[in-house]
């Protein structure tokens, strides 16, 4: 990337200020799996075979017992001889998901994909200590997915990413992310229900531990002039609306007004578009 002195000045200003640009959390019910609260005295197994507020898909077909493939567990104390003690959980409880293909946790969120917004799914993951997803299959993975609900009430996948078992550390959660590009008005999922899924892929015999599932909506892509590229025409549109409020089209940060933060956001993407010059 070749930077002119002006670009260098703008970049130096943009980088520290960009941390001020707001992003909106999209609520995920029971995101940290603290429901139901598990009493270790009443429940010596430290676990329950269900996950409230989530849709469970599993391969356990035993009619006489509840599924043991998916559930919530209480993080055992450090040094517990029989436990999956996690060093860095969010809260006291986590979810477990059987490693065999066909097991999944899904949630239809109470929000829609908004045109121009970018979305990111973050999940904290580690393999179970006693029963990790292992075996001879190198493709054992946990799939993170964004989906939407179409007009026929069917769940349709949009984007996925595979988290391989070999990239994780037992008992220590690592955050993995799936980013969705800016939603266009031509996308089938525009203005449709946001859906997220955690899907097991691979051999049976192990478990994934997951925690702290969150979805974030980021400001819209700063293309304002209709020519599909970010350039000085967009800056002109933004400047003409500077300090206007009431969620004008040039409001890039989603704070209801066009402010200097919108200028920084546009400048950042303007520089990125010219990174190959």
């Amino acid at each position: 990337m070749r930077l002119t002195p002006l670009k260098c000045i703008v970049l130096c200003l943009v980088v520290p200020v960009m941390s001020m640009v707001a992003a909106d959390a999209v609520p995920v019910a029971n995101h940290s799996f603290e429901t139901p609260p598990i009493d270790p005295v009443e429940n010596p197994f430290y676990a329950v075979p269900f996950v409230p507020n989530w849709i469970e898909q599993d391969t356990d077909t035993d009619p006489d017992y509840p599924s043991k493939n998916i559930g919530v567990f209480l993080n055992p104390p450090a040094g517990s001889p029989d436990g999956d003690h996690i060093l860095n959980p969010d809260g006291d409880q986590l979810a477990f998901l059987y490693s065999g293909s066909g097991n999944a946790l899904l949630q239809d969120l109470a929000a829609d994909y908004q045109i121009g917004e970018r979305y990111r799914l973050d999940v904290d993951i580690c393999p179970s200590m006693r029963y990790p997803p292992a075996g001879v299959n190198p493709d054992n993975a946990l799939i993170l997915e964004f989906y939407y609900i179409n007009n026929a009430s069917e769940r349709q996948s949009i984007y996925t990413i595979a988290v391989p078992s070999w990239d994780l550390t037992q008992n220590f959660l690592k955050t993995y992310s799936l980013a969705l590009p800016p939603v266009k008005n031509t996308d089938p999922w525009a203005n449709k229900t946001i859906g997220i899924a955690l899907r097991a892929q691979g051999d049976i015999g192990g478990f994934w531990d997951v925690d702290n599932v969150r979805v974030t909506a980021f400001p819209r892509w700063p293309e304002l002039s209709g020519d599909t590229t970010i350039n000085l025409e967009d800056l002109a549109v933004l400047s003409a609306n500077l300090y206007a409020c009431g969620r004008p089209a040039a409001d890039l940060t989603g704070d209801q007004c066009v402010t200097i933060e919108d200028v920084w956001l546009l400048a950042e993407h303007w520089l990125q578009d010219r990174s190959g010059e």
Side-chain angles (χ1 to χ4, degrees):
M1 175 179 180
R2 293 187 293 106
L3 293 177
T4 64
L6 176 59
K7 288 183 180 180
C8 287
I9 293 172
V10 172
L11 183 60
C12 290
L13 289 172
V14 166
V15 171
V17 174
M18 282 307 299
S19 62
M20 299 169 57
V21 175
D24 296 322
V26 180
V28 177
N30 201 13
H31 80 283
S32 188
F33 307 106
E34 303 304 313
T35 301
I38 298 173
D39 186 327
V41 176
E42 297 179 357
N43 186 341
F45 298 104
Y46 280 53
V48 293
F50 54 89
V51 186
N53 301 114
W54 289 80
I55 301 164
E56 301 177 39
Q57 294 179 347
D58 62 66
T59 56
D60 190 336
T61 57
D62 187 341
D64 297 323
Y65 298 94
S67 170
K68 297 178 287 294
N69 291 351
I70 301 171
V72 174
F73 71 96
L74 177 67
N75 190 27
S80 174
D82 60 348
D84 247 346
H85 177 71
I86 309 300
L87 297 175
N88 59 331
D90 177 75
D92 298 321
Q93 299 181 175
L94 306 90
F96 62 87
L97 180 64
Y98 197 48
S99 61
S101 294
N103 295 284
L105 282 170
L106 297 80
Q107 188 171 147
D108 304 336
L109 305 186
D112 296 338
Y113 292 105
Q114 299 297 310
I115 295 171
E117 296 285 303
R118 295 172 288 141
Y119 294 88
R120 189 182 71 212
L121 168 63
D122 295 298
V123 186
D124 296 346
I125 306 167
C126 71
S128 167
M129 177 150 181
R130 290 199 295 168
Y131 305 107
V136 297
N137 185 355
D139 296 325
N140 282 334
L142 183 65
I143 307 299
L144 309 187
E145 177 184 76
F146 270 118
Y147 64 83
Y148 72 100
I149 300 178
N150 65 17
N151 293 333
S153 299
E154 300 167 329
R155 295 183 178 90
Q156 300 288 316
S157 180
I158 304 175
Y159 282 86
T160 64
I161 187 174
V163 179
S165 58
W166 49 260
D167 194 42
L168 296 167
T169 302
Q170 291 178 342
N171 289 52
F172 188 86
L173 295 162
K174 182 176 180 180
T175 301
Y176 277 84
S177 302
L178 171 62
L180 189 67
V183 180
K184 303 187 294 293
N185 59 2
T186 54
D187 288 330
W189 49 91
N191 300 315
K192 298 293 195 303
T193 298
I194 299 173
I196 56 174
L198 314 177
R199 300 184 185 276
Q201 171 185 286
D203 299 327
I204 63 174
F207 287 90
W208 300 94
D209 294 341
V210 297
D211 193 27
N212 198 18
V213 181
R214 57 257 191 223
V215 174
T216 308
F218 291 89
R220 56 171 291 179
W221 190 258
E223 203 294 298
L224 303 173
S225 60
D227 57 8
T228 71
T229 60
I230 300 171
N231 50 35
L232 293 178
E233 298 295 329
D234 302 296
L235 181 60
V237 174
L238 191 148
S239 298
N241 290 273
L242 194 60
Y243 304 122
C245 291
R247 199 166 181 83
D251 173 23
L252 305 179
T253 59
D255 62 0
Q256 311 298 318
C257 295
V258 180
T259 66
I260 195 65
E261 290 189 9
D262 298 285
V263 177
W264 296 132
L265 183 61
L266 188 148
E268 181 200 35
H269 291 292
W270 179 70
L271 290 176
Q272 289 177 351
D273 272 10
R274 282 147 183 80
S275 61
E277 294 182 2

